[in-house]
Amino acid sequence: MQLIPCPWCGPREEAEFHYGGQAHVAYPEDPGALTDQEWARFVFFRDNPCGPFAERWSHSAGCRRWFNAVRDTRTYELLSVYRVGEPRPDASERDEVVS
Amino acid sequence: MTADTSVRTSPLAAWTDRLAALAPALDVAERPFLTQLTVRARDAVAVARMGEALGVAFPADPCTSTRGGGPFGDVEVLWMGPDEFLVVAGPDRRALVEDALRAAVRPARGAVVDTSAQRTTLALSGPHARDVLAHGCAIDLHPSAAPTGTCVQTLLARAGVVLRVDDAECDAFTLLVRSSFAEYLAAWLCDASVEYRAALS
Ligand SMILES: [Zn+2]
């Protein structure tokens, strides 16, 4: 089973984690000003890159904290993990690579 | 029909004999009714104050725990998250410990919540304790990887547990499992121990 490195607990089995979709999707500053179309775009539309993708994950069976991870959608390789509030690491700097 | 609610029954009260029968390969016994308090606090000074109140410093590192004696007897503090701890004390200490923690956390913001009924506790030891746990848990429990005091939240046989290493050299562990999962886990422990009982007889 693939190990995912929780930024708090270290490498754990993938079964302990829940997937939370794309990371860094900012909540609209003025939700009331959005048209239905813009609101639908915020709620339902996500990137679908072929390659590195910043995602939210939750260590639901462990420390129950949300964190972010950059995952290569082609290989499933986790390129880096970082805590909520920390900036997204530069894709060229591959730190903490565990797979 | 009325139920007599004055008598407490622990989640594994009916399993005492079946768990005891796993010896000598595995010594398992429930430690029922332990006081368990979930503490949430971010403020490092308040966390240190709570440690002083209990006589046990709160664990600083993820996936570790501390243990010690103080005014409330033996107390364990388990790391549950970056701002979350589980304080485990003897049965019937709840009110005293809860008051002491609430007084210590102020004036910082925090929460002390009684979660004693949420989980029950199993003490595990014996020559095959680590082997049996390895049947259903991917955590490396070798003493070199999991020294005394290691405390992880993980899955054991797909059930969520808190697993603490009480004594790495003696293979002594504590399992905290949700009350509703306790009988399932007890049944799984009995099943996973079968091959070691045969080997010893
Ligand atoms: Zn974690």
Side-chain angles (χ1 to χ4, degrees):
Chain A
M1 190 184 297
Q2 163 140 319
L3 299 181
I4 295 178
C6 170
W8 296 102
C9 307
R12 294 292 185 88
E13 288 196 308
E14 186 184 356
E16 293 188 8
F17 295 84
H18 270 273
Y19 181 67
Q22 183 177 351
H24 310 302
V25 179
Y27 194 78
E29 289 208 354
D30 186 3
L34 263 56
T35 64
D36 284 355
Q37 212 163 25
E38 288 168 331
W39 188 250
R41 182 156 284 278
F42 164 70
V43 173
F44 298 113
F45 282 56
R46 293 293 180 265
D47 295 341
N48 185 22
C50 179
F53 188 32
E55 302 166 329
R56 299 183 302 173
W57 286 80
S58 166
H59 190 192
S60 47
C63 63
R64 292 156 294 129
R65 263 60 193 178
W66 286 94
F67 61 93
N68 296 318
V70 178
R71 182 177 63 94
D72 192 317
T73 58
R74 294 164 299 190
T75 60
Y76 216 98
E77 184 187 3
L78 282 152
L79 305 176
S80 61
V81 295
Y82 49 109
R83 293 173 183 175
V84 169
E86 291 177 349
R88 177 183 168 162
D90 192 329
S92 59
E93 296 171 31
R94 291 183 162 202
D95 57 352
E96 290 189 69
V97 176
V98 177
S99 58
Chain B
M1 219 165 91
T2 55
D4 182 2
T5 53
S6 62
V7 179
R8 287 196 295 184
T9 306
S10 67
L12 292 178
W15 285 79
T16 309
D17 294 343
R18 276 174 282 184
L19 292 176
L22 303 180
L26 190 66
D27 293 309
V28 198
E30 187 187 18
R31 295 165 68 203
F33 308 129
L34 292 184
T35 295
Q36 297 171 53
L37 299 167
T38 295
V39 176
R40 299 291 301 264
R42 278 178 202 275
D43 186 81
V45 178
V47 170
R49 255 198 325 263
M50 288 191 284
E52 282 167 27
L54 299 183
V56 186
F58 278 39
D61 297 320
C63 304
T64 62
S65 64
T66 52
R67 165 182 269 178
F72 307 103
D74 286 342
V75 173
E76 294 168 13
V77 186
L78 317 182
W79 184 94
M80 305 294 273
D83 61 353
E84 182 176 348
F85 304 90
L86 187 70
V87 172
V88 182
D92 305 319
R93 301 267 185 177
R94 182 194 60 76
L96 292 171
V97 181
E98 198 174 338
D99 287 348
L101 288 170
R102 289 231 171 100
V105 78
R106 280 189 284 263
R109 287 196 300 175
V112 180
V113 180
D114 176 24
T115 51
S116 305
Q118 189 188 358
R119 300 182 182 90
T120 190
T121 308
L122 282 164
L124 262 86
S125 60
H128 286 292
R130 242 191 305 141
D131 299 324
V132 170
L133 290 173
H135 280 241
C137 179
I139 300 287
D140 184 356
L141 293 173
H142 189 272
S144 62
T148 299
T150 298
C151 176
V152 296
Q153 298 163 87
T154 186
L155 297 173
L156 175 59
R158 295 174 300 284
V161 294
V162 183
L163 172 58
R164 182 182 189 275
V165 181
D166 296 322
D167 190 330
E169 299 307 316
C170 301
D171 284 344
F173 305 94
T174 298
L175 276 177
L176 292 98
V177 59
R178 298 201 202 289
S179 299
S180 54
F181 273 90
E183 291 203 88
Y184 160 74
L185 201 71
W188 181 84
L189 282 171
C190 291
D191 183 60
S193 305
V194 166
E195 61 190 272
Y196 304 110
R197 296 171 71 186
L200 284 167
S201 61

